[in-house]
Amino acid sequence: MIRLEKRPQSSHTWSMATPLVAVLATMIFGGALFGILGTNPLTAIRTIFFEPLFGEFAFYYRPQLLVKGAPLVLIAIGLSLGFRAGIWNIGAEGQYIIGALVGAGIALAFYPLDAWFVFPLMIIGGAAGGMAWAMIPALLKVRFGTNEILVSLMLVYVAEQFLASMALGLMKNPEGFGFPGSRNLQEYESAHNAELITGTGMHLGVVFALIAVIFAYVLLNRHMLGFQIRLTGDAPRAARFAGVKPARLILFCLGASGALAGLAGLFEVSGPAGQVNIDFNVGYGFTAIIVAFLGRLHPVGILLAGGLMALTYIGGEIAQGQLGLPSAAIQVFQGMLLFFLLALDLLTNYRFRLTRGEVA
Amino acid sequence: MSDILLSIQGLTKAYPGVVANDTVSFDIGVGEVHALLGENGAGKSTLVKMIYGLVKPDSGQMLLRGQPFAPPEPRAARADGIAMVFQHFSLFDALSVAENIALGMEDPPPMRDLSRRIREVSETYGLPLDPYRTVGDLSAGERQRVEIIRCLLQYPRLLIMDEPTSVLTPQEVDILFQTLQKLQSEGTSILYISHKLEEIRKLCDTATILRLGQNVGTCVPAETTARDMAEMMVGTSLQTPERSGRALGDVALDISGLSVPSPSAFGTSLKKVHLTVRKGEILGIGGVAGNGQDELLGVLSGEISTPSDAVMLAGAPVGRLGPTARRKLGLLAAPEERLGHAAAPDMSLTENALLTGAVREKLENRGFLRWGAAQGFAERIIEAFDVRTPGPANAARSLSGGNLQKFVIGREVLQDPEVLVVNQPTWGVDAAAAAAIRQALLDLAAKGAAVICISQDLDELMEISDSFAALNEGRLSAHKDTAGLTVDEIGLMMGGAHGMEVAHV
């Protein structure tokens, strides 16, 4: 009989190894899936994982990695703080949308003023917008004990409706020939989140993502607040005993993750996306949840996981284009990654044991 | 008593890394009350689990009335007349007594017949119990009676009892003993597991002492001193904590007329609690668990907020202050629940040292953590309190209960508290470690700190405390000097025997 046995200490080796094993298992089972769909598994895996980095058109895809990875990392870092403490913000997508709307709103309000302060104001606005949206579930939880998972998730759909309303109404481009969507911020220099070095994909959002990684690392490992976050996640009662005020922690974690998601939205709308439109959001807020767990809620892990997710995104698009794989297959592939990671996670704290049949 | 009911011959059971039982042999006679003595981890539980069919021995054999006996599962053991009352009850709060008992039966009779049988058995053995009462409303002693009656309904030939008195008041213990003696006179054998030596001397005919999985001796408890038995258990000579005469100083902590509702639905609210402890004094607070101990600790540690002047620390109101602010003022606490409350299971000992030590040991600097200092503090605790662990980087959950308890108490003691509150400081801790913890509390008081020791272990409270009060249903009795206090008085302070005194055999 195979039995699971709790390890006295969580295994360091396994906690490092599980992401790699999970990626490997995803390659094997995803490859099998692609095989069943009639594509050569090896070609498919090669296309997804190697084409974007070393393929013929890598010069185009490599910058895309940064463009896609940065918002994922930025959002996932914020989410990981709350997840560590057992505070579940599932609504980063909504905070991302609201951040983008507030930022873009500021830009459109100043249009066509050419001034240095427009973009900094937009950054502050983006962060504040995302934070305010996250404060709704936070305050409801602190005041009335509501479940932040449900409230934050529901607010995503509210934000999406809000986005549609803005794209079709208040923020619609007056010179847009009646098409939905705002003015293109890429054409408004004071508000454009341009590449810092042309052709690299490196925009200010990438810089902010890196800063967030460092900031989160220092917070979690060197600061009392980070210690309290980890303590609350491990033993909530011990945290209260240590003097942690749960309400303050909830406000901080949801606020910080909302602000970072808002920032990601702002950098996206003023840069790669360029305009507020009905389908401006593409699910970064949800994918970031996967990234956060794939990175084991560790800042450096999240950085690597963000890169990996961006890779499967871009690789997946290439595979769709070149190999004709359905997009659903790519999504299943990405889902497998999370599934294997969470399943294998068990091995960090448990080990398998073969036992003779014995009634326990 | 010359007949042998159960003969245990060379039982061995090894788990990875530890031999729980190493060729243990002894006999239990018919109608004998046989004590199984040993420290935590000595192998008592493994041994009775083998008898009860929960664990299979690696080697050795058992003979029941001369016949080979190897129960593959508890059901088989029960069929052969072996019953067990576990230390932790497995009862459903929402069901009635009779329903709970029916759940444990192979083939329960109709409820009315069962209730009648429960009444019969409970009257025969002096264990009054209404079959229709809801278990959630019963006291710990009454719950134990449910478990005992559940066993007696099977007419067992051997009744195994695992630390049955740890949840009882002295009067309830007396009644339990009368029941056991009646059973014994009817020829039922009893295997009685305990580490309370005085009880064993009163009740048991024979005692087998286990140490590190081995049978280190058999004795007749009535003819052996408690000290000798304790030394056989520990394997070394024991050091009795020393108490020196102390002069009591000013009032260190004062609670007057405090009523607080419990934060938990199943908790006990505190009702008009008065409490005063002076510098250099150890105040022992006795009482059966679940009578407001957790709430009292929460009120003192700052986890439960109260009106500001309800809790006065050296004359200053602290009722509204949280745990961190109270620590700054010198009011420290060590809760009962080691894993999850006093310590975070998955965090290292260094991190756990930081958990309460941050303020007084200056382990943080403007919010930034001084890991070096925290590790140093953890190492000092490990060193001073002889915590057995490879080092401060190990997770709290990897420590044994006693070692973690030493760490938790040591962490607070080393911070030089003005007032220290401990809840069950030696619960589940082996005798040597318990002695060390008690000595540390006495030393702390000798240095002029006030200590409040909440405990269910009356011997412990008698040994170390200067004054005694009891918690009963959230009410705290008046304080009395420990010197000259009799067991009967203590029992009455603890709220009597929950209505059990009516039952005499």
Side-chain angles (χ1 to χ4, degrees):
Chain A
M1 194 166 64
I2 299 175
R3 208 157 53 97
L4 271 178
E5 188 181 84
K6 192 158 181 153
R7 294 174 194 271
Q9 294 249 27
S10 55
S11 155
H12 197 65
T13 325
W14 268 111
S15 95
M16 302 299 262
T18 41
L20 297 177
V21 179
V23 168
L24 217 66
T26 309
M27 284 185 178
I28 294 167
F29 285 89
L33 172 78
F34 297 141
I36 294 167
L37 289 171
T39 311
N40 181 350
L42 285 179
T43 319
I45 298 295
R46 215 186 66 86
T47 309
I48 293 173
F49 285 98
F50 297 100
E51 199 75 8
L53 287 173
F54 310 110
E56 192 182 344
F57 299 103
F59 66 90
Y60 171 75
Y61 294 126
R62 278 186 206 150
Q64 284 294 309
L65 275 178
L66 290 182
V67 170
K68 298 246 186 236
L72 287 176
V73 172
L74 203 52
I75 301 170
I77 286 285
L79 293 181
S80 71
L81 297 179
F83 290 175
R84 279 266 181 127
I87 297 163
W88 305 99
N89 177 7
I90 304 298
E93 185 77 0
Q95 294 137 24
Y96 172 87
I97 291 172
I98 300 297
L101 283 178
V102 173
I106 290 172
L108 296 172
F110 281 109
Y111 181 84
L113 178 74
D114 182 19
W116 64 268
F117 58 78
V118 174
F119 196 60
L121 266 185
M122 287 165 64
I123 293 178
I124 295 167
M131 185 151 117
W133 206 244
M135 275 300 152
I136 301 173
L139 290 171
L140 286 176
K141 185 179 173 73
V142 169
R143 187 75 189 80
F144 300 108
T146 56
N147 183 325
E148 78 279 14
I149 300 177
L150 289 176
V151 178
S152 64
L153 180 63
M154 291 306 169
L155 282 171
V156 172
Y157 304 106
V158 177
E160 280 179 347
Q161 297 306 318
F162 203 57
L163 170 70
S165 154
M166 286 295 152
L168 296 170
L170 201 57
M171 290 190 188
K172 194 163 87 170
N173 184 357
E175 294 153 23
F177 309 104
F179 283 103
S182 71
R183 287 180 197 279
N184 194 328
L185 298 180
Q186 291 171 354
E187 290 158 13
Y188 174 21
E189 196 166 331
S190 292
H192 183 201
N193 171 26
E195 285 180 328
L196 297 174
I197 306 162
T198 315
T200 55
M202 180 87 162
H203 63 74
L204 206 55
V206 180
V207 178
F208 268 68
L210 290 173
I211 293 173
V213 169
I214 296 166
F215 177 79
Y217 185 86
V218 173
L219 179 77
L220 287 172
N221 291 293
R222 296 262 175 261
H223 198 274
M224 198 63 193
L225 186 60
F227 176 71
Q228 294 187 340
I229 288 174
R230 291 190 291 127
L231 185 58
T232 305
D234 186 23
R237 226 173 138 211
R240 289 210 59 148
F241 172 62
V244 176
K245 295 189 180 73
R248 243 183 55 187
L249 212 60
I250 290 166
L251 293 177
F252 173 80
C253 288
L254 280 168
S257 58
L260 290 179
L263 275 178
L266 173 273
F267 288 125
E268 188 70 17
V269 78
S270 58
Q275 63 171 167
V276 171
N277 211 336
I278 302 175
D279 52 0
F280 149 76
N281 61 313
V282 289
Y284 282 137
F286 291 117
T287 311
I289 298 171
I290 306 182
V291 171
F293 278 101
L294 194 61
R296 320 200 57 92
L297 306 181
H298 187 283
V300 178
I302 288 171
L303 187 64
L304 298 173
L308 181 71
M309 271 324 268
L311 189 68
T312 63
Y313 258 98
I314 295 162
E317 276 172 28
I318 302 173
Q320 282 178 50
Q322 288 185 2
L323 308 174
L325 280 169
S327 71
I330 301 297
Q331 284 170 19
V332 169
F333 185 76
Q334 286 166 349
M336 271 183 192
L337 191 57
L338 182 67
F339 171 81
F340 280 118
L341 187 88
L342 293 180
L344 288 166
D345 224 19
L346 195 78
L347 292 174
T348 321
N349 281 312
Y350 291 84
R351 61 183 157 211
F352 285 107
R353 258 226 128 71
L354 284 170
T355 53
R356 280 171 298 149
E358 187 175 86
V359 187
Chain B
M1 276 216 314
S2 55
D3 291 346
I4 288 169
L5 176 74
L6 180 70
S7 173
I8 290 165
Q9 298 173 348
L11 279 192
T12 298
K13 176 74 194 177
Y15 289 110
V18 56
V19 180
N21 282 151
D22 186 1
T23 54
V24 175
S25 306
F26 63 94
D27 295 334
I28 302 171
V30 173
E32 181 190 38
V33 182
H34 194 113
L36 194 54
L37 259 171
E39 294 194 296
N40 293 293
K44 294 171 301 190
S45 308
T46 307
L47 187 65
V48 293
K49 279 181 185 163
M50 288 193 283
I51 299 174
Y52 197 54
L54 283 165
V55 171
K56 260 193 226 162
D58 295 338
S59 65
Q61 63 164 350
M62 291 181 280
L63 297 177
L64 188 69
R65 290 190 186 276
Q67 301 296 314
F69 173 64
E73 53 175 346
R75 205 184 332 184
R78 282 199 295 268
D80 281 326
I82 292 176
M84 181 159 171
V85 177
F86 288 91
Q87 190 178 4
H88 301 285
F89 308 142
S90 44
L91 297 173
F92 293 93
D93 280 358
L95 300 181
S96 74
V97 169
E99 284 165 335
N100 263 293
I101 289 177
L103 273 177
M105 299 177 97
E106 306 285 316
D107 183 20
M111 209 44 88
R112 197 182 308 162
D113 296 352
L114 182 62
S115 301
R116 194 174 40 76
R117 280 179 58 199
I118 291 172
R119 278 225 164 83
E120 278 170 20
V121 170
S122 75
E123 278 161 25
T124 314
Y125 293 99
L127 298 166
L129 197 60
D130 179 353
Y132 295 109
R133 276 184 69 192
T134 308
V135 165
D137 299 334
L138 301 182
S139 72
E142 289 171 313
R143 285 170 199 233
Q144 187 181 53
R145 273 180 261 168
V146 180
E147 293 276 11
I148 294 173
I149 287 175
R150 174 188 276 175
C151 289
L152 295 185
L153 284 173
Q154 307 163 25
Y155 304 105
R157 287 186 287 172
L158 174 64
L159 180 64
I160 304 173
M161 302 203 76
D162 191 359
E163 307 235 353
T165 58
S166 55
V167 294
L168 303 182
T169 64
Q171 278 84 351
E172 287 175 324
V173 171
D174 279 348
I175 291 165
L176 174 70
F177 281 11
Q178 287 172 19
T179 305
L180 295 182
Q181 274 153 3
K182 182 163 171 59
L183 277 170
Q184 178 189 16
S185 69
E186 291 173 355
T188 308
S189 309
I190 294 161
L191 183 59
Y192 189 90
I193 302 171
S194 181
H195 58 245
K196 292 190 183 170
L197 303 165
E198 287 303 333
E199 271 176 32
I200 286 172
R201 294 192 59 212
K202 224 193 290 180
L203 180 74
C204 301
D205 304 313
T206 321
T208 295
I209 297 161
L210 290 183
R211 185 169 75 233
L212 302 174
Q214 286 175 325
N215 181 349
V216 291
T218 303
C219 63
V220 177
E223 295 164 5
T224 315
T225 65
R227 194 186 176 87
D228 285 346
M229 285 196 283
E231 290 184 358
M232 279 167 88
M233 258 163 69
V234 183
T236 56
S237 58
L238 269 182
Q239 229 144 5
T240 333
E242 288 171 35
R243 54 198 298 180
S244 44
R246 299 184 294 269
L248 301 188
D250 300 338
V251 171
L253 183 99
D254 186 64
I255 295 180
S256 47
L258 173 70
S259 300
V260 196
S262 171
S264 125
F266 295 103
T268 308
S269 301
L270 295 178
K271 300 169 193 94
K272 295 198 181 120
V273 167
H274 291 271
L275 183 154
T276 305
V277 60
R278 310 172 81 87
K279 284 181 184 165
E281 179 185 2
I282 298 183
L283 169 64
I285 295 183
V288 173
N291 273 301
Q293 283 90 343
D294 285 349
E295 289 76 10
L296 183 61
L297 184 110
V299 160
L300 291 168
S301 73
E303 288 162 276
I304 300 174
S305 183
T306 65
S308 190
D309 54 0
V311 183
M312 306 288 277
L313 181 67
V318 297
R320 282 208 192 292
L321 299 182
T324 312
R326 291 191 193 195
R327 285 192 187 106
K328 209 172 282 176
L329 297 172
L331 173 51
L332 270 53
E336 172 188 4
E337 186 78 36
R338 291 182 281 258
L339 281 178
H341 194 183
D346 288 331
M347 287 190 153
S348 71
L349 293 179
T350 300
E351 287 169 308
N352 273 298
L354 186 65
L355 199 147
T356 69
V359 186
R360 285 182 86 77
E361 294 296 311
K362 299 189 177 57
L363 304 181
E364 67 170 318
N365 179 15
R366 296 179 190 194
F368 285 90
L369 304 173
R370 297 172 57 215
W371 280 121
Q375 189 184 331
F377 180 44
E379 276 162 359
R380 272 194 0 250
I381 301 168
I382 292 169
E383 169 77 28
F385 280 78
D386 188 26
V387 179
R388 310 279 164 79
T389 173
N394 281 59
R397 75 162 192 246
S398 71
L399 266 63
S400 73
N403 272 315
L404 186 57
Q405 186 67 17
K406 285 195 276 187
F407 184 85
V408 165
I409 300 282
R411 181 178 68 187
E412 309 305 326
V413 168
L414 286 189
Q415 291 182 50
D416 284 328
E418 304 287 328
V419 179
L420 176 63
V421 188
V422 292
N423 190 4
Q424 299 278 29
T426 59
W427 174 253
V429 172
D430 62 58
I437 288 173
R438 287 173 197 153
Q439 187 63 56
L441 296 178
L442 285 166
D443 292 347
L444 192 65
K447 278 199 281 179
V451 177
I452 298 174
C453 178
I454 306 171
S455 177
Q456 288 185 67
D457 187 339
L458 291 177
D459 298 338
E460 167 171 285
L461 294 179
M462 291 303 104
E463 191 178 307
I464 64 169
S465 59
D466 303 293
S467 50
F468 177 85
L471 258 181
N472 182 32
E473 291 177 0
R475 291 187 182 82
L476 189 68
S477 72
H479 305 4
K480 288 192 176 174
D481 278 348
T482 315
L485 211 54
T486 66
V487 171
D488 279 342
E489 281 176 297
I490 292 171
L492 288 176
M493 288 168 85
M494 285 166 68
H498 296 284
M500 281 182 88
E501 54 271 56
V502 291
H504 285 296
V505 187

